[in-house]
Amino acid sequence: MKVLKFGGTSVGSVESIQAVLQIVKKSYDAGEKPLVVLSAMSGITNLLTKMAEDAAEGKPFQDDLKLMEDRHFEVVKKLIAVKYQNPVLTKLKLLINELEDLLQGIAVLKELSDQSKDLIVSFGERCSNFLVAKIMEQEIPVSTYINASHYIKTDDNFGNAHLNEALSHQLIQALALTHADKLLFVTGFIGSNDKGRITTLGRGGSDYTAAIFGSVLNATAIEIWTDVNGMLTADPRIVKKAFSLPILSYTEAMELSYFGAKVIYPPTMVPAFMKKIPIVIRNTFQPEFPGTVIQFESGKSNFPIKGISSIADVSVINLTGSGMVGKSGFSGRLFTLLAREQINVILITQSSSEHSITFAVHPNDARKSVNLIKNEFELELMANKLSVPVLEDGLSILAIVGENMKRTPGMSGRLFHALGRNGINVRAIAQGSSEFNISVIINNEDLSKALNAVHDAFFAELKKTLHVFNIGTGNIGSTLFKQLHEQHDFLLDQNDIEIKVVGISNSRKMGFNPEGFDLGNWQEELENQGEVADLGTFIGQMKALNLPNCVFIDNTASKLPSTYYEEIFRSNISVVTCNKIANSGDYAQYRLLHDTARKHGVDFFYETNVGAGLPIVRVLKDLMMSGDRIIKIEAILSGTISYIFNNFKGDASFYEVVKKAQELGYTEPDPRDDLGGIDFMRKMLILARDAGHVIESESVKLGNILPESCLQASSVDEFYAELLKADEFFNKMKSEAAKQNKVIRYIGTLENGEVAINLQMLDDKHPFYALSGSDNIISFTTERYKDRPLVVKGPGAGAEVTAAGVFADLVNVGA
């Protein structure tokens, strides 16, 4: 036989009760001999408690009583045939009238005892079970309502009564014998003392009822039907990726539930645990889902842990002092004191020096605990052998749980890496020698981020989610969004990466969407829902959202964003940028940003600073990390200049080539911004710094391409006029190169810690000789690549390749 227990949400409405009836009927028709335990309708127990308290305080309770009556009567009128309704309505009305008389008595006495309170809240289970039994009786005539208070016997501890096992077992066995052919609907949560006074079984009381009946009757399984698909890896309200666990051991279920999982209350399930009866958590509203089986064995799992649980609000008390060191019995004295006052200690950790003890309690007990400690240890405090207890509020506990953790190296490391990378400070740590649980105390405001970050870290088969905040929506930014939109499914399916752009800003508007912008329609969403752009506010909101795995993308050419990079790194947010300013300014600033990113365990990626989509920065770093030594770097890192000199041949004049380059959009509006070599200089400066050289921009030897007259021209038109006059200068250069079968290239060189950029003539033995179009090229001569340098070549400009470079940096964040 099976015990089927249904919680309040399962019997909370007409629709949910219909679902319950279908599940019960299916079990009955399959010959499983179900025994059904029901809670009160959702919200009714709270309503009954409120009515009792209102009555004791002289407040009116009639409206709430009418609400309770209406909810039950509605179910009768919709689910019981008209000809059978009257007896059911009459019985329910009698129960409601009895309840009203009790409330009136409490109102007269203005006193609410625990005994009276238990009697009043029992009406919830009594009404729901009678009601559902009568509905089922229409299809299964042997359906019978059972008031469990006649069979579950307890002591007089009203509100949290303790079971009289021997007598209860005897009565339940007798019930089973006399009702062997019946389908029983049993009230959860309630029992009675030896005088017949109704008692309640405390938190999780209906689960306890199911466990008691299941244990006595040797059930093959106890099914707990609720409104979720079993036990999940984390709280689905916080961790959207949480998924159901097929199997848990009793120990794992108890650990997860103790630290916040509300599906079951393990202490009530001890009768089932003792007889190794499997407990199955099922969803009333998705009965086809298999749910979670809680059994003696943990079962095999591909994951290192079973779940992550949390307690959202705790207070921590820290007790320190030399009077604790080597003092036998000190901890016993402390925790006996708290136990005597019914204060539950959630977590304990003690330093190996015995100089401090830290423990967590519920916030409601925190100040009382401190006062008790001060009174108990008054002499030690006066003698300065103990410091005054320090109380900290606003904290949470996060716990990872699983039997696979036992003797598995790296569990703590993975946990603390996930927390540290996201800037989550751990205030205290506790791990038992059983290694089933590692618990940490963190700030309350970090709990959501911590749960998501740790969930991603331990459930590696899930998708890694990156939360992106992007500034700059010009050619590169908008192209990046297009690429992310087009590659979304590929990233999910092939790389297990989900990228959510949750913040967007340009020079006019900024907007946020924690669920991620629709990148197929981001312009309209930003325009309609965005607010006036302000970079400081944007970064403040990015920090305030406190999402895990955040990335700030700078797709601008402005100096302002780089002034916030250090603050962003200190907030444990990675930066991806195509903006060269931060890395090519003062060396001290370059060093500070790189050191800050490393210190806070986040990424600073800027591949596009040097070669757009070409892998130049990454190649250089890989060479150096692998122990290679850079001898020389040669590079052409300007697509504009590359195009100009690649086409400055034959009859074409330099003036004509530059003019054509501008018409094709290869140059800035003022071509001198490219031909002046400043952008090229910044790229070489970044490479030199990444190669380990301390160098400022003033130390770069920048050779001119243009005559002084062109550089000093007061306008673009005047520049072109001066360029035309300089034809002889450029033609002479071209002729000299042609006579020697050489080509002209504007090359940057890093050698012996010095950077020079100048015009050179190259023969066909040089790897830069055959360069064409607007390609960039770079040559690394190293100890390993001495005779045949390592060459990287390809497009070095354009929105598509630059956005692709930003894209590549982004997906490597946290890799």
Side-chain angles (χ1 to χ4, degrees), residues 50-52 54-55 59-66 99-100 103-104 107:
K50 179 177 178 293
M51 283 191 277
D54 286 347
K59 297 178 182 178
F61 56 82
Q62 285 77 12
D63 289 346
D64 288 336
L65 189 66
K66 183 67 165 61
L99 173 60
E100 184 176 17
L103 292 169
Q104 293 287 7

Side-chain angles (χ1 to χ4, degrees), residues 471 505 510 533-540 552 558 560-564:
I471 61 168
S505 180
M510 64 181 187
D534 179 84
L535 185 55
T537 304
F538 183 84
I539 289 169
F552 177 79
S558 167
L560 183 59
S562 64
T563 64
Y564 287 93

Side-chain angles (χ1 to χ4, degrees), residues 532-594:
V532 176
D534 179 84
L535 185 55
T537 304
F538 183 84
I539 289 169
Q541 181 66 16
M542 173 178 70
K543 291 162 60 179
L545 284 171
N546 208 23
L547 297 170
N549 303 321
C550 284
V551 186
F552 177 79
I553 298 182
D554 178 4
N555 279 323
T556 73
S558 167
K559 183 178 180 179
L560 183 59
S562 64
T563 64
Y564 287 93
Y565 286 5
E566 183 186 356
E567 177 185 343
I568 292 168
F569 290 139
R570 291 187 184 280
S571 301
N572 292 85
I573 296 172
S574 296
V575 172
V576 170
T577 180
C578 63
N579 189 335
K580 304 178 192 68
I581 292 175
N583 283 313
S584 60
D586 293 341
Y587 179 81
Q589 178 70 7
Y590 166 90
R591 187 75 270 148
L592 174 66
L593 293 179
H594 284 254

Side-chain angles (χ1 to χ4, degrees), residues 400-441:
I400 58 171
V401 173
E403 291 190 11
N404 281 358
M405 292 165 57
K406 192 170 186 177
R407 294 185 293 276
T408 302
M411 291 295 97
S412 298
R414 195 184 300 194
L415 170 64
F416 295 122
H417 176 74
L419 296 173
R421 182 176 177 83
N422 284 280
I424 298 161
N425 185 38
V426 175
R427 312 296 291 275
I429 306 161
Q431 180 178 15
S433 59
S434 65
E435 298 185 65
F436 290 158
N437 175 313
I438 303 175
S439 304
V440 295
I441 295 177

Side-chain angles (χ1 to χ4, degrees), residues 19-39:
V20 167
L21 296 173
Q22 290 175 5
I23 293 166
V24 173
K25 188 173 187 302
K26 182 177 179 181
S27 175
Y28 181 83
D29 291 345
E32 294 175 339
K33 296 184 179 178
L35 180 145
V36 184
V37 176
L38 300 178
S39 296

